[in-house]
Amino acid sequence: MILKTALRQRLPAKLLFSLALLTVLLFGPMLNASKAHADEFSLADQCPPSFALDRDNRCRMRNLYQLYDSLQERGLGGLKTALPKHRDGFSPQQIDLGRLLFFDPVLSADKNLSCGNCHNPNLGFSDGMARSIGAKGQVNERSAPTLWNSAFLKVFFWDARANSLEEQALGPLFAEHEMANTPQQLLASLKQIEVYPALFDQAFGDSGDSLVIDNIVTALTAFQSSLISLNSPYDRYAHGDSKALNEDQLLGLNVFRSFVARCSQCHMPPLFTNQQIAVIGTPEPTGLARDIGAEKTFSSRQLKGGFKVPTLRNIALTAPYMHSGRFATLREAAEFYNKGRGHAVPEGENLLLHWHISEPNLTDTELDRLVDFMGALTDEQFMPNIPQRVPSGLLNNTTNGGLVIAAGEQP
Amino acid sequence: MNSKFRIVLIILIFAGGWILGSNQNVAPTITNSAGGASYSGGYQAPSISGDIGAVPRRPNEGQVHIVNPGDSIQAAVEIAQPGDSIQVMPGTYSETVYIDKDDIHLRGVIQTGQRATLDGLGKLNDAILYSGNNIIIENFRITQYKGNGIMGQAGNNFEIRNNVIVDTGIYGIFPQLGTNGLIEHNVVSGIEDAAIYIGMSDNIHVAYNEVFDSVAGIEIENSRHAVVEHNNAHHNTGGILAFVTPGLPIKTTEDVIIRNNFVLSNNTPNFGAPGSIVSGIPAGTGILVMAADDVIIEGNIISNNKTAGIIINDHSYASTITMDEDSDPNADRTMILDNVMLNNGYDTIPQVTALALTELHTGPIDIVHAGPSNGSCIINRHRYRAVGIGNYTECDFTNTDSIDSYLLVGGAKPRIIKPSERGEIAYLGVCTGCHSYTGRLIGPSVQVIQAMYAGNPQGLVDYINAPIKKRDNFPAMPAQNYLDAETQMAVANYILAVEN
């Protein structure tokens, strides 16, 4: 919570706006309770920024990295390297419906939690918490990852147990400790809302029975894969603006990609992840047992304590860090790698640590510069519009997100 | 050893001797490698023959920037334009040089044996980093860096030659994620991992280098289409390696020719960092092929490597590597042509001894293949003391004379993007964050811009290069001068024509 506050202090305008909206919400409960009228919601017929509409009414991603190639077309390398293959080809209507669903608490069993609670756009599409809180107040086992640039990912969840955004979406929707819904109840609640069946027909064809689980997760996928963040100061540097990084950030870039720190060997540009599993041996929060991570996914003892390498794009927005939020700041996270291979692995515990976990002996100054560089990976230029109202009429009433309160349509 | 086991062993060894003896009575198949068919597999696109080079020749030389002792090499890199060369005069320079632009030739000047020396003083991380394409780095002496001597990150078409790299951190020369590179005439020693390490790269030529006193001499890892020839790899822990390391994002090593190298006395105790992949290499390894496919070993002189001259194994024999279901663990289609092998495997490791005993082999070992293998072959097998090659067939070729190199004619080509597509990419990828077609977003609408610059794309180019604040209630626009001229004009034309 301290971090979340700190973040807001850097954004005073947003904070004031948030407070203003909060006031409106507190004193306007009648407004919140009423259900939406059909004519209040119409789906966009244009693609979000960074997408071109093709002749088949599909949105196709465009970004400057498409000017470049990559070895074996894997989207890994250095500055002017193409990105990994991405998901696109959804219609503007599907993306827009996904946006409404994403922010609608009707998706959870008790209608109190939307996707946007744990993936809050104002917190880098994460939630500022070490481990996220479920619909019934339970503390989950891992932290909520950012959704920026998830169009480029091929595995999902910290333990890499899902292979598509669709498969991923089914997880939290129906997990007892997350949104706790069931397919039957979810469909029933959406069908009860006057607007939704029509919106699904609009997005998925006029069949009359398009409100099905498959289309729900498709729409959520469409929206999430539209969240593109590729215009950070680092990106400007990569495309050729040698002044886009300040001196400290540039020094940090050279530490980051050096073979002493080796950050870029796993957090590999241009996505800042190589999408592999790495066992790095971070300590768990006090009192928690070792999270075995990918050992379970792949039934491999060698991967005990292994997790998917996360992207570092927008990382400055998503403290705390690591799978269970053990480190409060980027400085602490960077220090972890400098303290020696296996320093936090309890004696007698046998982990097959990644070969790049070494003893770089970076100076304090170099660690500071690394943090400076990671700050240059922030870009929220293509922030989507966050709906002020959602078709269920349910405004977010949970205490942990403050999502709808903190956001609004662009004035 | 208990006595019963000892008796069984003696009987086995005796039986083995009888079997081997009987084999020796059969006249071996002798293949003359001076004639016969050449290898017909391998990289099939046109490749370079004769005077090989990886960086396309410049039609015109740009400016030459001279760096003298006391000056900063990086300062010269920053003012250099693509097409320029930088000449560094003899003397000592302590800095990290990074080249994030294309077509720069960085040369040390050697005067009467004195070189331009990059000295990391035991404190600096890497000596030279490059990410640009068409980079040449030559004639330096590099010492005392913590990380790498010369490291490439995704630059294509590179030549790294005639550098002397001594006692420098992890890798001496490490191009990564690049296509089309030539590494030749370098002398690299005292490296705690690989002296020359080709990582996740394609179309590589490594020739005429001397690598010694390092953990690994030359390592080809998760890379394809590489020729390693005429090198001298001596007094390392392992001489020349072709590896698939699991857990890396690019998964294969294929089509590697290791030929005409000296691989001598690689018996240096392993001093690799704990947990590093090479820390598992047994001292006394000549050539090691782990999980790599289509590797040809030809014409090498391999001698005095105490564990074995050539080891081929799958991932199950490596203790330091992780599990990766996308990584094929087996070394398939190993092809061993004529090599001169002398006095190898005379003091080997227990795993090799155990494997040898299953074939009733005792004594020194030139070649050992551990783990499954499909489609491997050998010629003149009777010359070698070999274990685990029972399923190797006779190769249907005897040499690789048909292949000079796997370098690409004219270099790796950049992606060709039509101007119309460039315009759309830049407009949607950058501009739409602040400009929508109708109505204000952060900047004015595209319609307003179209009205101002109708028929005047150059005016729009001039503005995005050096924007001036025009409207009091709008934020200033950041300059888009990092886009190249072609892309700037393309995006200006696109904006003026776009209809929604």
Side-chain angles (χ1 to χ4, degrees):
Chain A
M1 294 309 280
I2 291 167
L3 281 158
K4 206 189 297 181
T5 309
L7 184 78
R8 294 236 175 99
Q9 277 164 354
R10 289 197 288 108
L11 302 165
K14 247 183 190 165
L15 178 65
L16 287 176
F17 183 59
S18 307
L19 288 173
L21 260 177
L22 177 65
T23 312
V24 170
L25 294 174
L26 287 175
F27 294 98
M30 293 302 290
L31 193 71
N32 305 338
S34 65
K35 285 206 170 178
H37 296 292
D39 54 0
E40 196 184 335
F41 294 95
S42 64
L43 298 179
D45 58 4
Q46 292 295 317
C47 299
S50 208
F51 288 85
L53 190 64
D54 72 10
R55 285 178 191 152
D56 301 324
N57 194 41
R58 303 281 146 183
C59 297
R60 299 292 170 188
M61 196 196 297
R62 297 287 182 266
N63 65 69
L64 282 181
Y65 287 96
Q66 291 169 342
L67 299 174
Y68 316 128
D69 272 323
S70 74
L71 190 91
Q72 303 275 317
E73 296 184 18
R74 296 300 293 273
L76 299 156
L79 297 174
K80 290 185 176 171
T81 301
L83 283 153
K85 289 195 181 75
H86 61 261
R87 291 290 302 273
D88 66 2
F90 300 99
S91 69
Q93 293 78 12
Q94 289 167 349
I95 294 170
D96 211 25
L97 173 59
R99 184 177 65 98
L100 296 174
L101 288 169
F102 185 90
F103 291 110
D104 198 332
V106 77
L107 264 57
S108 60
D110 295 343
K111 301 181 171 50
N112 60 348
L113 201 63
S114 77
C115 306
N117 280 82
C118 295
H119 301 285
N120 184 336
N122 295 315
L123 296 170
F125 280 97
S126 181
D127 59 7
M129 284 188 283
R131 291 172 292 139
S132 298
I133 308 286
K136 299 181 193 304
Q138 323 89 312
V139 179
N140 277 294
E141 58 177 342
R142 294 175 191 145
S143 74
T146 183
L147 301 183
W148 285 113
N149 297 320
S150 46
F152 299 100
L153 299 180
K154 55 185 184 181
V155 288
F156 300 86
F157 295 116
W158 278 102
D159 57 8
R161 67 182 185 273
N163 292 308
S164 68
L165 277 166
E166 289 88 339
E167 192 186 341
Q168 185 279 332
L170 295 170
L173 280 174
F174 304 129
E176 178 59 33
H177 56 286
E178 295 192 51
M179 296 167 92
N181 219 330
T182 63
Q184 297 73 17
Q185 190 193 323
L186 174 58
L187 290 175
S189 353
L190 288 176
K191 282 175 180 166
Q192 274 167 19
I193 296 163
E194 187 192 348
V195 182
Y196 269 125
L199 292 181
F200 273 82
D201 281 352
Q202 204 186 329
F204 291 99
D206 198 10
S207 59
D209 57 0
S210 53
L211 209 174
V212 293
I213 297 292
D214 273 2
N215 288 343
I216 294 170
V217 297
T218 299
L220 289 170
T221 298
F223 172 64
Q224 292 174 83
S225 58
S226 76
L227 303 172
I228 307 302
S229 169
L230 298 169
N231 287 310
S232 67
Y234 164 82
D235 294 296
R236 292 171 61 93
Y237 182 84
H239 297 311
D241 180 359
S242 60
K243 304 289 176 225
L245 297 178
N246 66 34
E247 206 172 301
D248 287 342
Q249 292 165 336
L250 203 47
L251 285 167
L253 166 62
N254 282 336
V255 177
F256 185 85
R257 61 183 168 175
S258 76
F259 216 78
V260 175
R262 308 192 199 182
C263 313
S264 71
Q265 291 296 312
C266 291
H267 298 284
M268 197 171 261
L271 195 58
F272 289 85
T273 168
N274 65 0
Q275 305 203 48
Q276 304 297 302
I277 305 293
V279 185
I280 64 173
T282 54
E284 297 292 359
T286 311
L288 283 193
R290 167 75 61 200
D291 183 339
I292 64 168
E295 174 181 3
K296 186 175 171 198
T297 308
F298 297 95
S299 305
S300 167
R301 174 67 189 74
Q302 287 168 300
L303 296 177
K304 180 181 180 185
F307 296 96
K308 186 183 72 173
V309 175
T311 179
L312 298 187
R313 286 184 174 276
N314 282 331
I315 194 69
L317 305 177
T318 61
Y321 300 105
M322 305 298 176
H323 63 277
S324 49
R326 180 63 162 73
F327 300 125
T329 64
L330 278 177
R331 184 61 156 72
E332 284 178 38
E335 273 169 28
F336 163 79
Y337 294 94
N338 206 34
K339 285 184 174 169
R341 182 179 166 84
H343 71 272
V345 179
E347 208 170 319
E349 185 177 19
N350 190 14
L351 294 184
L352 182 59
L353 294 173
H354 195 279
W355 63 94
H356 283 316
I357 298 296
S358 58
E359 285 203 63
N361 296 318
L362 300 174
T363 63
D364 279 353
T365 313
E366 285 178 314
L367 288 171
D368 289 340
R369 295 298 81 79
L370 274 179
V371 174
D372 293 337
F373 173 68
M374 288 188 271
L377 296 172
T378 302
D379 163 44
E380 299 181 282
Q381 204 178 88
F382 294 162
M383 177 69 87
N385 285 334
I386 298 151
Q388 285 182 341
R389 302 251 301 143
V390 288
S392 68
L394 295 162
L395 273 174
N396 196 320
N397 57 4
T398 55
T399 53
N400 63 332
L403 163 70
V404 177
I405 295 167
E409 299 279 356
Q410 298 265 5
Chain B
M1 200 185 288
N2 73 42
S3 59
K4 200 185 270 179
F5 182 69
R6 192 181 298 155
I7 291 165
V8 171
L9 198 61
I10 289 168
I11 292 169
L12 282 174
I13 290 168
F14 179 77
W18 180 78
I19 292 167
L20 287 173
S22 65
N23 282 349
Q24 276 157 5
N25 290 336
V26 178
T29 307
I30 294 176
T31 306
N32 180 6
S33 59
S38 194
Y39 184 52
S40 59
Y43 192 72
Q44 292 297 326
S47 58
I48 291 173
S49 63
D51 175 26
I52 57 174
V55 175
R57 297 289 173 264
R58 287 170 169 171
N60 304 297
E61 278 295 325
Q63 217 182 320
V64 176
H65 307 268
I66 308 287
V67 181
N68 287 295
D71 296 345
S72 149
I73 303 170
Q74 186 60 31
V77 172
E78 273 159 33
I79 58 167
Q81 297 297 309
D84 288 358
S85 296
I86 298 164
Q87 288 184 8
V88 184
M89 299 303 287
T92 300
Y93 304 80
S94 291
E95 58 180 306
T96 292
V97 179
Y98 53 97
I99 307 173
D100 288 331
K101 50 182 85 173
D102 290 343
D103 195 10
I104 299 292
H105 297 180
L106 180 62
R107 294 201 168 85
V109 175
I110 307 173
Q111 280 183 320
T112 55
Q114 298 300 305
R115 284 176 179 251
T117 297
L118 285 159
D119 187 342
L121 305 170
K123 290 189 287 197
L124 295 174
N125 291 335
D126 304 306
I128 300 174
L129 287 166
Y130 68 88
S131 70
N133 300 324
N134 301 343
I135 300 293
I136 294 177
I137 298 165
E138 59 188 23
N139 301 349
F140 287 93
R141 183 173 189 275
I142 296 173
T143 191
Q144 293 295 316
Y145 281 80
K146 283 170 71 184
N148 294 337
I150 300 170
M151 179 173 190
Q153 292 181 325
N156 295 335
N157 307 330
F158 51 89
E159 294 174 5
I160 300 170
R161 75 164 62 79
N162 196 7
N163 300 288
V164 178
I165 303 178
V166 188
D167 291 336
T168 287
I170 320 292
Y171 299 114
I173 296 172
F174 175 25
Q176 187 180 37
L177 292 155
T179 298
N180 204 48
L182 173 62
I183 292 138
E184 61 176 3
H185 299 287
N186 300 285
V187 180
V188 188
S189 62
I191 308 293
E192 125 181 349
D193 202 300
I196 295 175
Y197 168 32
I198 309 300
M200 295 191 279
S201 292
D202 285 355
N203 299 93
I204 298 294
H205 201 82
V206 182
Y208 306 107
N209 301 284
E210 184 186 18
V211 288
F212 60 100
D213 292 350
S214 301
V215 174
I218 297 169
E219 181 175 352
I220 308 293
E221 186 189 67
N222 297 39
S223 295
R224 291 137 302 278
H225 318 304
V227 173
V228 180
E229 64 177 9
H230 304 298
N231 301 285
N232 186 356
H234 64 92
H235 297 97
N236 306 289
T237 304
I240 298 177
L241 284 42
F243 266 23
V244 171
T245 294
L248 288 173
I250 290 180
K251 305 292 182 187
T252 58
T253 293
E254 292 167 352
D255 192 19
V256 179
I257 298 176
I258 301 170
R259 65 184 178 194
N260 302 333
N261 302 283
F262 293 100
V263 184
L264 313 174
S265 301
N266 291 291
N267 299 316
T268 298
N270 194 319
F271 58 99
S276 67
I277 305 294
V278 295
S279 68
I281 298 174
T285 299
I287 292 175
L288 175 56
V289 177
M290 179 170 78
D293 294 340
D294 301 288
V295 178
I296 300 177
I297 302 171
E298 175 196 16
N300 302 287
I301 295 179
I302 306 170
S303 69
N304 294 313
N305 303 289
K306 69 177 183 181
T307 292
I310 300 173
I311 302 176
I312 304 118
N313 65 258
D314 68 353
H315 281 151
S316 68
Y317 283 83
S319 60
T320 50
I321 60 174
T322 186
M323 172 272 173
D324 182 348
E325 61 178 15
D326 296 328
S327 187
D328 174 6
N330 297 333
D332 293 326
R333 296 178 302 283
T334 306
M335 295 162 265
I336 301 176
L337 305 179
D338 278 346
N339 293 277
V340 174
M341 303 193 73
L342 298 167
N343 193 35
N344 295 299
Y346 54 84
D347 180 16
T348 195
I349 55 173
Q351 295 94 316
V352 173
T353 307
L355 194 66
L357 272 179
T358 65
E359 297 188 10
L360 311 174
H361 178 108
T362 56
I365 293 177
D366 291 317
I367 302 172
V368 55
H369 187 127
S373 176
N374 296 309
S376 293
C377 72
I378 187 168
I379 62 172
N380 293 324
R381 74 181 72 203
H382 57 278
R383 295 182 182 178
Y384 311 117
R385 292 171 286 210
V387 168
I389 64 163
N391 65 346
Y392 277 45
T393 60
E394 283 288 309
C395 297
D396 58 6
F397 63 99
T398 69
N399 60 74
T400 60
D401 295 353
S402 60
I403 296 160
D404 284 325
S405 89
Y406 286 142
L407 293 176
L408 302 169
V409 174
K413 296 281 186 289
R415 182 177 284 186
I416 306 296
I417 308 282
K418 286 183 286 194
S420 60
E421 292 173 8
R422 275 183 184 269
E424 187 188 63
I425 284 170
Y427 171 69
L428 293 169
V430 181
C431 311
T432 53
C434 296
H435 302 278
S436 67
Y437 185 68
T438 54
R440 174 182 176 178
L441 208 53
I442 292 170
S445 74
V446 170
Q447 286 174 316
V448 167
I449 297 167
Q450 287 176 338
M452 286 177 65
Y453 291 97
N456 181 19
Q458 186 59 50
L460 187 50
V461 167
D462 293 344
Y463 183 79
I464 67 175
N465 251 310
I468 42 167
K469 191 167 157 65
K470 287 189 171 180
R471 294 171 173 79
D472 284 343
N473 54 343
F474 284 68
M477 174 175 149
Q480 307 298 322
N481 52 356
Y482 58 93
L483 300 172
D484 61 42
E486 187 189 358
T487 305
Q488 286 179 352
M489 183 53 78
V491 74
N493 283 319
Y494 185 88
I495 287 173
L496 297 182
V498 69
E499 287 176 351
N500 57 48

